């Protein structure tokens, strides 16, 4: 949710209709925004009937989540949604459509990103979909009170819905990546029609059970899309923990994250610290662009999912039964592809989305370790606040930038403002210094109290007597000052 949408929700009064996790996100967006209207909107929310009852609602959610966790653990212990028969096919018929999709994916492993093993693709997609589904289930007020058969049906539907949404994101993000690989100039009418045609044709093939179409997906697209989903889940987990103190989803994120970190260490090391800053991830080279695109498109897919709210049918099945719905669904996704392209093409033209920046960011993250579970970090915990502060500032600039889409002259000014903010920040200066050779300063005050003696090598060079005496006097004065300081 961006600040523009947050302000619209408050102004219209529609925030009363939001789910509890969306309310939490709305509060966070308004609280962290520098927009002058944000504070007024936050006050309006807090003074509303919903705002005044929020503390009590949060306490109720603590109990609801505990009950749902118990029910979910019991369900997963006794039910394997993705169990296979002797022929290697899903035992549960509702799994077959998404199983067929991933069975028709051909991984195009490029040399600049870690390779994706085709045999692990479905397994990884399942683990991420379960993560997404658990967020909805844990916050479901009725889940723990349902009969086991109904719980199982809702669980299966939530997981499959998440996987099928991801399928649309992967296909769309590949169209975006392919278009950016060919050009960085504004889209012509022919380009726009071609994107629409590719998307609509691919979407029709995705939901068709008889389709034999092979879907070419690059490793960069796959890993970045998975990273975007984990980042979205982490942000939800952080909200849940903040308002209910429940760490269940957070622990699930860590488990999946650790698994993918071992498979794709470089890419995950670059993209995972950007969890709260996906709106500015386009600066992090090709993988950053892919994650930005995945996040941007995923929002459109989720917001416009015509099957959302259906309890007994997944997205593929719904669109197959009601083919007329796919037309408007496709239009919204295509619109998000084109918008994401425009944003990133402009960023590339200003050298804001290059591998040099991506490499520098990855080196910085590996040294400072913004990621809590990075055991390979050389300076674990040092400078996290500095990096996060810089990212907050740049993220705010990026959010403002993404809202200023027209006219073209103001857009260019906004891009230049963001570029200057990036390059002039402490993070930007560290990037330019090459983190492997830069001196890292701890945020602990003790780091500033250490004395590093400076030895003047006067033997190798012939120093004039007067200059030599002056240097000795300065050196002695400094030593006396330091000794005096430490006596106190």
């Amino acid at each position: 949710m961006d600040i523009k949408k947050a302000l619209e929700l408050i102004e219209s009064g529609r925030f009363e209709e939001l789910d509890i996790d969306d309310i939490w996100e709305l509060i966070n967006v308004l609280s962290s925004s520098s927009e002058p209207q944000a504070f007024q909107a936050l006050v309006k929310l807090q003074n509303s009937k919903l705002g005044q009852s929020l503390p009590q609602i949060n306490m109720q959610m603590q109990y609801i989540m505990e009950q749902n966790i118990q029910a979910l653990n019991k369900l997963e212990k006794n039910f394997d949604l993705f169990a296979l028969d002797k022929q290697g096919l899903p035992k549960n018929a509702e799994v077959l459509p998404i199983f067929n999709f991933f069975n028709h994916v051909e991984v195009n492993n490029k040399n600049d990103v870690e390779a994706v093993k085709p045999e692990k693709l479905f397994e990884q997609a399942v683990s991420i979909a379960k993560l997404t589904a658990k967020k909805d289930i844990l916050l479901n007020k009725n889940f723990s009170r349902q009969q086991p058969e109904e719980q199982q049906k809702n669980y299966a539907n939530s997981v499959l819905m998440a996987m099928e949404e991801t399928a649309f994101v992967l296909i769309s993000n590949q169209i975006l990546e392919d278009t950016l690989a060919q050009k960085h100039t504004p889209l012509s009418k022919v380009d726009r029609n071609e994107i629409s045609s590719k998307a609509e044709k691919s979407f029709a093939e995705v939901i068709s059970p008889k389709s034999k179409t092979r879907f070419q997906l690059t490793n960069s697209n796959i890993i970045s899309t998975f990273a975007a989903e984990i980042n979205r889940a982490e942000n939800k987990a952080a909200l849940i923990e903040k308002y209910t103190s429940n760490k269940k989803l957070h622990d699930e994120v860590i488990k999946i994250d650790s698994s993918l970190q071992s498979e794709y260490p470089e890419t995950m090391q670059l993209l995972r610290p950007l969890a709260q800053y996906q709106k500015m991830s386009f600066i992090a080279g090709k993988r950053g662009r892919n994650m930005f695109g995945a996040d941007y498109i995923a929002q459109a897919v989720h917001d416009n999912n015509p099957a959302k709210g259906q309890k007994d049918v997944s997205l593929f099945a719904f669109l197959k039964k009601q083919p007329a719905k796919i037309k408007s669904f496709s239009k919204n996704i295509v619109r998000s592809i084109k918008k994401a392209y425009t944003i990133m093409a402009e960023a590339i033209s200003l050298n804001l989305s290059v591998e040099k920046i991506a490499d520098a960011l990855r080196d910085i993250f590996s040294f400072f370790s913004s990621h809590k579970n990075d055991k390979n970090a050389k300076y674990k915990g040092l400078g996290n606040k500095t990096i996060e502060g810089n990212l907050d500032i740049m993220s705010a600039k990026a959010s403002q930038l993404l809202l200023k889409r027209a006219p073209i002259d103001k857009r260019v000014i906004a891009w230049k403002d963001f570029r200057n903010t990036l390059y002039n920040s402490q993070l930007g200066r560290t990037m330019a210094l090459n983190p492997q050779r830069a001196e890292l300063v701890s945020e602990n005050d003790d780091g500033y109290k250490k004395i590093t003696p400076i030895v003047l090598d006067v033997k190798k060079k012939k120093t004039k007597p007067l200059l030599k005496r002056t240097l000795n006097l300065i050196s002695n004065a400094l030593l006396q000052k330091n000794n005096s300081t430490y006596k106190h």
Side-chain angles (χ1 to χ4, degrees), residues 426-445:
Q426 193 167 357
L427 185 62
R429 293 196 297 274
T430 308
M431 284 166 50
L433 285 173
N434 180 356
Q436 294 184 3
R437 300 180 65 86
E439 181 180 2
L440 304 178
V441 180
S442 170
E443 290 172 358
N444 190 327
D445 291 343

Side-chain angles (χ1 to χ4, degrees), residues 409-428:
D409 56 337
K410 291 185 179 179
R411 193 187 310 167
V412 171
I413 292 171
W415 276 113
K416 288 182 177 179
D417 183 40
F418 176 80
R419 180 177 60 183
N420 292 336
T421 303
L422 169 63
Y423 290 146
N424 294 330
S425 69
Q426 193 167 357
L427 185 62

Side-chain angles (χ1 to χ4, degrees), residues 107-121 124 217-220 222-223 260 262-267 287:
V107 180
N108 182 10
N109 280 314
K110 303 284 188 177
N111 294 329
D112 54 348
V113 181
E114 299 99 321
V116 172
K117 297 174 183 175
E119 65 272 16
K120 288 194 173 184
L121 179 58
Q124 291 171 352
L217 301 178
T218 63
N219 48 337
S220 178
I222 293 169
I223 302 172
L260 291 184
S262 63
E263 292 285 338
Y264 317 116
E266 286 193 8
T267 301
R287 285 163 289 185

Side-chain angles (χ1 to χ4, degrees), residues 179-196:
T179 306
L180 280 166
Q182 296 169 8
K183 59 181 295 177
H184 301 147
T185 54
L187 294 171
S188 65
K189 186 176 181 180
V190 173
D191 296 326
R192 292 177 174 275
N193 290 338
E194 187 177 346
I195 289 174
S196 299

Side-chain angles (χ1 to χ4, degrees), residues 225-294:
T225 297
F226 285 175
E229 286 301 313
I230 294 174
N231 283 350
R232 288 162 68 87
E234 181 181 321
N235 291 337
K236 290 294 183 182
L239 287 175
I240 289 173
E241 186 175 355
K242 178 178 179 179
Y243 289 97
T244 71
S245 301
N246 192 296
K247 296 181 66 176
K248 171 66 175 177
L249 189 62
H250 171 79
D251 293 340
E252 292 289 327
V253 169
I254 296 303
K255 185 168 65 175
I256 304 303
D257 184 32
S258 298
S259 173
L260 291 184
Q261 285 270 359
S262 63
E263 292 285 338
Y264 317 116
E266 286 193 8
T267 301
M268 298 300 284
Q269 190 176 68
L270 169 66
L271 300 182
R272 285 292 285 115
L274 294 170
Q276 297 178 47
Y277 315 102
Q278 295 203 106
K279 288 290 187 291
M280 58 159 282
S281 59
F282 57 80
I283 68 172
K286 182 180 179 182
R287 285 163 289 185
R289 293 196 296 272
N290 273 329
M291 187 169 81
F292 176 88

